[in-house]
Amino acid sequence: MAFGGTDRPDAEDEPASMRNVLAAAGLSLLYLKAIDWAGFYLATPLFLAAYLATFGERRPLRVALFSSLSSLVFFFAFTSLLFISLPTGQPEALYRLNIVIQQFFLSIGAAS
Amino acid sequence: MSGYELLLSGLGALLHDPVAIGLLALGLLGGSVFGAIPGINMLTLGAVILPFTVRLEPGHAIMLYSVIYCSGVFGGAITAILFNIPGAPENAATAIDGHPMARQGQARRAIGVAILCSATGGIVSTLVMIGAAQGLARWAISAIQPAEIFGIVVLGLAISATVGAATIWKGWLSVLAGMLLATVGIDPVESTPRFTFGSYSLYAGFQTVPMILGVFALSEILNQSRRSPQGRDAHASGPPVGLAELWMHRVTTLRSIVIGFLSGLVPGVGATLAAFVSYGTAKALAGREGTFGRGDIRGVISAETANNAATGAAMIPVLALGLPGGALTAMMIGVYQLHGMEPGPLIFTNAPDIVGLVFAAMLLANVCILGLGWLEARTVPHLRRIDIRYLMGFLLVLSSIGAYAERNLMIDLWVMFGAGACAWVLRHSGYSLTGLVLGLILGRIGETAFLKAMIINDQSFPNMLSRPIMAICLALAATITLVGICRSLRVRLPGRAATAR
């Protein structure tokens, strides 16, 4: 019996569930790589949509709505309110795009 | 100022401070919601918000963690009773008798008792803690030197290695792995770089925040992705409960408070084990007359009283010595570090307002559990319908921001991912994540203490051993480890005989 910590020996060891874990790990890794390369402001909505789609959410409207709304929440909370600096991407074009979004949310924060 | 004067001034400060009241409410709600959703728990919440506490005043941040601790330990009791799914490991012992009671149509009685017991255990334990912590700190300033800190750290690591994992070997490996990770970077006295492999990014070592995010948040996200969401309907039914029930079982309640408090005091034991020890004692003392395992009210009483009684006691070593005993208290040390503060007994003289705020918040949080439980018993059946997939993506983005925000370095994100992936593998092979994190955090504290103690004692270890407290701690640690090893060997022998037959 494992006490303490978060060990919970309840999950069943099916091949399907193992595939899910690998998919979640792969997506997380891709997301972290994408934050660095494409910038936080572009990677986040794409990741949220990809995560939902991978784990069986098939209604496109829901995926789009959830990923864009929660991205807006993140941008507002961390850029407009907390001024946390987040990665803005490597290639020139993507960097410009990130900066536009970042400046927009910074200006909201300054106005409010 | 005595502890109770600190409490009063803390209460005054808290109630005049809208930010503190808001944080208290958020902490209560957050702790109980994360405690109630099976799969994620208060450690996930604590890890995710840790990096952002740097924006709060230190007093507010520490207060927030103490509130999350109180409400998070309680939060999972109701899912344990209604669905036999403990929302958090702290409530696993509650399910053993709580769920059979629910199946016999006594869900409301079990939940009522759980709420009352959690509040009682928490309030009594907080009051005792307030009385004891300052005296202990005052004594610690003169009696506790680096050598003693080293001894207590070794004892804490030995205990968490013995109880945390599937076997004592895996427990020690978890703790030692954490200690090994703690050595990466520049050593605290001689400034020699260790295990940096020529990379400047590793000179500062593995940062606490990304490690905690990986171990407790990312590994949980990976774990949750293996199950498909499922919903079951159940609701609280049966006759309600009054204080009379608690009075009828006053002996069990009192005993559980004592057991919970003592377990919380010892580093490495914590609320989960407190609940199991208390449950086991109640069951053993009842002998054959109880209906333990088939819906005995005393099972719920013993488990739920003890786990909350452990929370107050666990704050004593954190406040008086600056030594964490579990994963959530380790995060409190992380909060201290983020604010550049030195955890330890001097906090009573340097920042009595912080201590008062923590005292007041913990007392209020435990009182609020009464109202929170009432609220939660009505909302938990709906909480079960939350689609966990939506939550997990959200939490991963939040963790990533948190890991990056402290130093603005990509390496912290990779550290988080590496720690999360390794932690997922470790937890599924019976290792203890709490042991790993305690090894990481206590390892650093212990190493610094050891090196300082060596300098004070003329670089001679036997000189250090002549300090009684340290010698006792080391002897206890050795005994606990030896007893654990002997027990694991003895258990294995009859097991082998049985399979041979």
Side-chain angles (χ1 to χ4, degrees):
Chain A
M1 181 97 204
F3 295 135
T6 46
D7 317 357
R8 232 163 295 118
D10 53 357
E12 59 289 356
D13 273 310
E14 296 162 18
S17 68
M18 200 53 221
R19 236 184 355 251
N20 279 349
V21 174
L22 288 179
L27 269 176
S28 317
L29 199 58
L30 270 180
Y31 173 56
L32 297 186
K33 196 73 210 154
I35 290 182
D36 195 20
W37 186 76
F40 177 82
Y41 299 92
L42 298 181
T44 301
L46 290 178
F47 161 74
L48 286 171
Y51 190 90
L52 281 184
T54 313
F55 286 100
E57 180 60 72
R58 291 281 173 264
R59 289 161 288 191
L61 190 67
R62 269 194 173 215
V63 173
L65 215 62
F66 175 76
S67 53
S68 51
L69 278 182
S70 32
S71 301
L72 288 180
V73 170
F74 281 123
F75 297 167
F76 183 72
F78 293 103
T79 304
S80 311
L81 297 180
L82 293 173
F83 306 112
I84 284 176
S85 118
L86 292 160
T88 38
Q90 315 277 358
E92 181 70 25
L94 296 181
Y95 171 77
R96 289 246 171 94
L97 210 52
N98 271 291
I99 290 294
V100 168
I101 304 176
Q102 190 188 42
Q103 289 303 320
F104 173 71
F105 278 93
L106 277 175
S107 67
I108 294 181
S112 62
Chain B
M1 269 199 282
S2 81
Y4 295 101
E5 282 164 7
L6 277 177
L7 167 68
L8 285 182
S9 71
L11 271 175
L14 202 163
L15 295 176
H16 277 99
D17 186 352
V19 180
I21 296 177
L23 285 174
L24 178 79
L26 281 179
L28 276 170
L29 209 63
S32 59
V33 167
F34 273 69
I37 300 176
I40 57 175
N41 53 45
M42 61 174 177
L43 295 181
T44 323
L45 176 67
V48 166
I49 64 170
L50 182 58
F52 308 113
T53 56
V54 80
R55 306 264 156 174
L56 297 173
E57 279 171 39
H60 287 157
I62 309 258
M63 182 199 92
L64 181 63
Y65 273 81
S66 61
V67 172
I68 290 176
Y69 198 18
C70 298
S71 60
V73 163
F74 160 74
I78 292 175
T79 45
I81 291 167
L82 285 182
F83 312 107
N84 201 21
I85 303 171
E90 286 81 6
N91 309 105
T94 312
I96 306 174
D97 274 294
H99 187 59
M101 282 184 73
R103 273 197 313 235
Q104 293 155 18
Q106 295 186 321
R108 206 187 271 178
R109 180 162 165 243
I111 291 176
V113 165
I115 295 170
L116 280 177
C117 285
S118 296
T120 315
I123 290 170
V124 174
S125 150
T126 306
L127 287 175
V128 177
M129 181 269 286
I130 292 170
Q134 200 177 19
L136 192 69
R138 196 170 290 152
W139 169 80
I141 289 176
S142 56
I144 301 288
Q145 287 188 2
E148 279 77 23
I149 298 273
F150 174 70
I152 298 170
V153 163
V154 172
L155 178 61
L157 290 177
I159 295 173
S160 74
T162 314
V163 299
T167 66
I168 186 169
W169 312 108
K170 292 189 169 178
W172 265 111
L173 278 175
S174 320
V175 167
L176 290 174
M179 289 168 71
L180 186 65
L181 291 174
T183 60
V184 174
I186 291 177
D187 97 82
V189 169
E190 308 265 322
S191 299
T192 316
R194 300 176 299 198
F195 302 119
T196 55
F197 301 103
S199 155
Y200 278 112
S201 311
L202 286 176
Y203 266 58
F206 290 117
Q207 300 290 297
T208 313
V209 171
M211 287 297 290
I212 286 180
L213 280 169
V215 169
F216 291 115
L218 188 65
S219 88
E220 199 63 72
I221 292 167
L222 295 182
N223 205 37
Q224 287 307 310
S225 61
R226 61 192 294 160
R227 291 184 251 204
S228 47
Q230 44 169 3
R232 250 192 288 171
D233 271 333
H235 46 87
S237 59
V241 68
L243 274 169
E245 189 113 38
L246 219 57
W247 183 244
M248 261 170 58
H249 298 288
R250 57 190 175 277
V251 183
T252 313
T253 312
L254 205 63
R255 180 177 0 94
S256 310
I257 290 179
V258 173
I259 293 177
F261 193 84
L262 293 179
S263 319
L265 209 52
V266 182
V269 175
T272 308
L273 201 69
F276 274 104
V277 171
S278 171
Y279 179 85
T281 317
K283 190 177 174 182
L285 285 179
R288 293 198 180 168
E289 45 188 281
T291 51
F292 277 90
R294 283 171 282 134
D296 195 310
I297 188 88
R298 284 172 291 176
V300 178
I301 292 179
S302 57
E304 273 307 309
T305 311
N307 64 15
N308 270 71
T311 58
M315 288 303 289
I316 293 181
V318 176
L319 289 173
L321 305 175
L323 294 176
L328 201 83
T329 40
M331 292 180 197
M332 290 184 198
I333 302 295
V335 173
Y336 278 121
Q337 289 169 350
L338 279 180
H339 286 94
M341 291 164 67
E342 182 78 30
L346 285 175
I347 191 169
F348 283 89
T349 31
N350 293 343
D353 48 327
I354 293 185
V355 181
L357 208 56
V358 170
F359 284 172
M362 283 192 84
L363 193 66
L364 283 182
N366 278 305
V367 175
C368 288
I369 280 179
L370 292 171
L372 203 65
W374 179 83
L375 197 73
E376 207 186 309
R378 274 153 191 77
T379 48
V380 150
H382 305 290
L383 266 187
R384 294 275 298 141
R385 275 189 231 126
I386 286 181
D387 192 335
I388 206 117
R389 292 171 299 183
Y390 287 81
L391 200 56
M392 289 304 144
F394 200 85
L395 285 179
L396 186 78
V397 176
L398 204 55
S399 314
S400 310
I401 300 174
Y404 185 81
E406 193 189 351
R407 298 197 301 171
N408 290 2
L409 290 177
M410 277 310 288
I411 176 106
D412 286 340
L413 288 179
W414 304 124
V415 167
M416 176 185 83
F417 182 81
C422 295
W424 185 81
V425 176
L426 287 178
R427 68 191 287 164
H428 281 280
S429 29
Y431 292 90
S432 155
L433 297 186
T434 305
L436 183 81
V437 164
L438 277 181
L440 179 71
I441 289 181
L442 284 178
R444 277 193 194 128
I445 300 176
E447 188 193 3
T448 314
F450 179 78
L451 291 171
K452 279 188 197 161
M454 284 300 270
I455 293 169
I456 294 171
N457 293 292
D458 305 327
Q459 304 289 349
S460 141
F461 191 62
N463 265 3
M464 232 155 98
L465 276 179
S466 65
R467 303 184 65 87
I469 298 176
M470 186 218 178
I472 291 171
C473 285
L474 288 189
L476 271 176
T479 318
I480 288 167
T481 309
L482 281 178
V483 168
I485 290 174
C486 289
R487 193 175 294 158
S488 83
L489 291 178
R490 215 184 307 146
V491 167
R492 207 181 291 166
L493 287 179
R496 228 183 258 158
T499 44
R501 238 184 291 144

